Amino acid sequence: MWTVTGWAVAVWLKLTLLLAVAVGAAWWLLATGSGWFPLILITAAVVELWSVRALAAEWASEARSSWWWHR
């Protein structure tokens, strides 16, 4: 189970870092008053929430099939 937990945390960290870099690049390249920056920021937040929910569902599915969950 620790392998799945480690995998989920690693994927979450990679995706969060990628989104943070994308938002940082947008902040650097675009003016914060432009219409594109809030759109990029909202999109990154939605992708982050969606990925956390998907990873949690994957982890829970794996946990249900493990012996330690049924104690």
Side-chain angles (χ1 to χ4, degrees):
M1 189 61 208
W2 286 110
T3 56
V4 175
T5 303
W7 170 81
V9 169
V11 169
W12 173 70
L13 287 174
K14 287 178 190 177
L15 185 63
T16 300
L17 181 62
L18 178 71
L19 290 172
V21 167
V23 169
W27 175 75
W28 184 264
L29 296 173
L30 302 171
T32 55
S34 74
W36 287 105
F37 182 73
L39 182 64
I40 291 169
L41 192 62
I42 290 168
T43 303
V46 168
V47 169
E48 180 76 15
L49 289 173
W50 175 79
S51 67
V52 166
R53 288 178 51 96
L55 285 170
E58 180 70 26
W59 184 89
S61 173
E62 185 66 28
R64 276 187 226 105
S65 67
S66 296
W67 64 269
W68 61 269
W69 190 268
H70 297 291
R71 286 186 181 184

